């Protein structure tokens, strides 16, 4: 499994560093093929096999859409190079040059395929089933690595090659952002399983990330990078927590919310770590998640997108309810029977400790993160 993960990371690095649509496609396929195999890695489990098959079928469909969009763009421009595409489209809407509808359709097809890979609504159908059916360590990998690659690619493609078609792609990105936030906020309310809940939480976070991208400004891209870094840390913390809840007296890990009843009494340190992560995901100040959402919403308002920012804030309020439900279960639910977990491994405790300190300590001095993300945004946009 580690070899497959390494190949998937190499594929993701090819995607981010690609300078051509064909190289990008090869990188995505290299990464995706490894992810299909990882999802179905537990061969004896029917859930894992179902997750792998579902991801493979829908992923193949998304790859077909991506190829169709690329063929349209190549047919109309004669190039697949990012820089050449940017030169062809310079001043697309400012001048009297008419842009063929096929070019816009091709771009939209590519965006839709990438939104599928990023688990953004309404192309998120596979995510909860795959996250739940896959081995937990693989679900952790799904939640972090592919999203970083796709968001990096989105920034390169939309802000560099297709910047002059912003009027067209902005609508698609912002609609997907709003749908992702709304779907995640209201569907997560009905969840009872921890991994499905984290899958919907991930879909919601992708919605907030897409707001930064949809603004099309340097501030928005900086907000996107800030949110991505903080999202990765929060996600690693949450999934490491799930990996750490291994029962002592029976096989397996915590599956349902109710498995965490009394955790505040049995393992107060683990409970307080997860509590801070949940509050950060909900966007409660002064934790890292609040800083991330603040920068994204500010960039949206600077771009005049007040409605999008308002919907985002409202979804955050709804989201706070289902994050707080975990805290209620861990601290205030009545214990029916004592359940003890195995000792946490040294590696897991280091990840939990470092991510916990980052989440609670970022607000003290966020200058380094802001400077780094601003320089990164300038490098990619200018």
């Amino acid at each position: 499994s580690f070899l497959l993960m390494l190949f998937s990371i190499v594929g993701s690095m090819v995607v981010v560093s690609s300078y051509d649509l064909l190289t990008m496609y090869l990188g995505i396929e290299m990464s995706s093929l490894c992810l299909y195999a990882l999802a179905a890695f537990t061969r004896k489990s029917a859930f894992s096999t179902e997750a792998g098959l579902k991801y493979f079928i829908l992923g193949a469909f998304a790859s077909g859409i991506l190829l169709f969009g690329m063929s349209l763009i190549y047919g109309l421009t004669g190039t697949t190079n990012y820089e050449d595409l940017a030169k062809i489209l310079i001043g697309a809407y400012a001048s009297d040059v008419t842009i063929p509808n096929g070019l816009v359709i091709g771009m939209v097809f590519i965006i839709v395929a990438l939104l599928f890979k990023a688990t953004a609504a309404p192309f998120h159908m596979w995510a909860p089933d795959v996250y739940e059916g896959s081995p937990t360590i693989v679900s952790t990998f799904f939640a972090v690595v592919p999203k970083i690659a796709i968001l990096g690619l989105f920034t390169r493609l939309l802000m560099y090659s297709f910047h002059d078609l912003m009027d067209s792609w902005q609508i698609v990105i912002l609609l997907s952002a709003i749908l992702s936030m709304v779907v995640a906020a209201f569907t997560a309310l009905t969840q009872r399983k921890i991994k499905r809940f984290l899958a919907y939480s991930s879909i919601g976070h992708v919605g907030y990330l897409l707001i930064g991208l949809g603004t099309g400004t340097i501030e928005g891209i900086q907000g996107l990078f800030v949110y991505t870094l903080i999202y990765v840390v929060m996600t690693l913390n949450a999934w490491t927590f799930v990996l750490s809840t291994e029962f002592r007296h029976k096989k397996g890990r915590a599956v349902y919310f109710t498995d965490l009843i009394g955790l505040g009494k049995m393992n107060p340190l683990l409970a307080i770590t997860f509590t801070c992560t949940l509050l950060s995901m909900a966007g409660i100040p002064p934790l890292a998640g609040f800083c991330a959402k603040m920068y994204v919403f500010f960039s949206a308002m600077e771009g005049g997108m007040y409605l999008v920012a308002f919907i985002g804030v409202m979804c955050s309020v709804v989201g706070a309810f289902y994050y707080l439900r975990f805290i209620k279960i861990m601290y205030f639910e009545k214990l029916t029977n004592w359940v003890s977990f195995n000792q946490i491994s040294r590696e897991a405790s280091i990840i939990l400790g470092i991510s916990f300190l980052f989440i609670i300590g970022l607000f003290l001095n966020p200058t380094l993160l802001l400077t780094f993300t601003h320089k990164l945004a300038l490098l990619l946009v200018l």
Side-chain angles (χ1 to χ4, degrees), residues 57-360:
I57 291 167
L58 292 170
F61 183 66
S63 295
I65 292 172
L66 179 65
L67 270 179
F68 183 65
M70 284 165 53
S71 64
L72 276 174
I73 285 172
Y74 178 69
L76 290 163
T77 61
T79 183
T80 54
N81 185 276
Y82 292 174
E83 191 174 357
D84 292 344
L85 283 170
K87 285 175 182 174
I88 289 167
L89 295 170
I90 282 176
Y93 283 116
S95 62
D96 295 330
V97 180
T98 53
I99 297 294
N101 289 333
L103 196 63
V104 177
I105 292 166
M107 180 189 69
V108 170
F109 269 96
I110 290 174
I111 291 170
V112 165
L114 295 180
L115 286 173
F116 172 89
K117 301 285 184 187
T119 69
F123 316 104
H124 66 287
M125 307 79 64
W126 60 274
D129 295 333
V130 172
Y131 278 49
E132 189 189 354
S134 305
T136 308
I137 189 76
V138 173
S139 300
T140 310
F141 189 78
F142 278 150
V144 176
V145 176
K147 286 186 175 59
I148 300 171
I150 294 301
L151 288 164
L153 173 62
F154 255 139
T155 312
R156 288 277 299 280
L157 265 182
L158 299 184
M159 295 302 295
Y160 182 61
S161 297
F162 298 126
H163 186 269
D164 291 84
L165 296 179
M166 191 186 288
D167 289 2
S168 300
W169 61 252
Q170 207 169 29
I171 301 163
V172 180
I173 294 291
L174 289 175
L175 274 174
S176 181
I178 292 167
L179 271 171
S180 297
M181 292 186 296
V182 173
V183 166
F186 289 99
T187 316
L189 289 171
T190 61
Q191 299 308 309
R192 294 288 174 267
K193 291 185 175 180
I194 298 170
K195 284 168 77 173
R196 282 187 81 86
F197 168 80
L198 287 174
Y200 280 109
S201 171
S202 170
I203 293 163
H205 286 302
V206 168
Y208 296 114
L209 286 160
L210 289 176
I211 291 177
L213 181 66
T215 56
T217 61
I218 289 176
E219 289 79 13
I221 299 303
Q222 184 188 1
L224 167 72
F225 289 145
V226 169
Y227 203 117
T228 303
L229 286 165
I230 293 171
Y231 163 77
V232 167
V233 174
M234 292 190 302
T235 305
L236 278 174
N237 188 296
W239 283 97
T240 307
F241 167 82
V242 177
L243 285 164
S244 304
T245 57
E246 199 164 326
F247 294 118
R248 184 170 290 171
H249 302 298
K250 58 177 180 174
K251 198 178 178 185
R253 296 190 178 93
V255 174
Y256 296 92
F257 292 4
T258 48
D259 291 336
L260 303 177
I261 290 175
L263 188 68
K265 292 186 179 74
M266 289 181 286
N267 194 334
L269 204 59
L270 188 61
I272 195 72
T273 303
F274 193 46
T275 299
C276 284
T277 306
L278 290 169
L279 291 173
S280 177
M281 285 180 165
I284 307 293
L287 301 169
F290 170 75
C291 301
K293 286 184 178 175
M294 183 179 71
Y295 290 120
V296 166
F297 292 150
F298 277 172
S299 66
M301 288 191 284
E302 276 180 22
M305 298 168 187
Y306 298 106
L307 179 64
V308 177
F310 176 75
I311 293 169
V313 172
M314 288 298 103
C315 289
S316 288
V317 173
V318 176
F321 171 76
Y322 56 73
Y323 287 120
L324 291 171
R325 192 172 52 172
F326 263 109
I327 299 165
K328 173 182 171 285
I329 287 167
M330 288 192 293
Y331 286 99
F332 305 112
E333 286 281 320
K334 194 176 179 183
L335 269 172
T336 50
N337 60 319
W338 283 88
V339 177
S340 57
F341 298 112
N342 281 336
Q343 190 175 351
I344 302 170
S345 68
R346 188 177 177 181
E347 294 81 6
S349 58
I350 289 168
I351 293 169
L352 283 168
I354 292 170
S355 54
F356 173 70
L357 289 173
F358 178 87
I359 287 164
I360 63 167

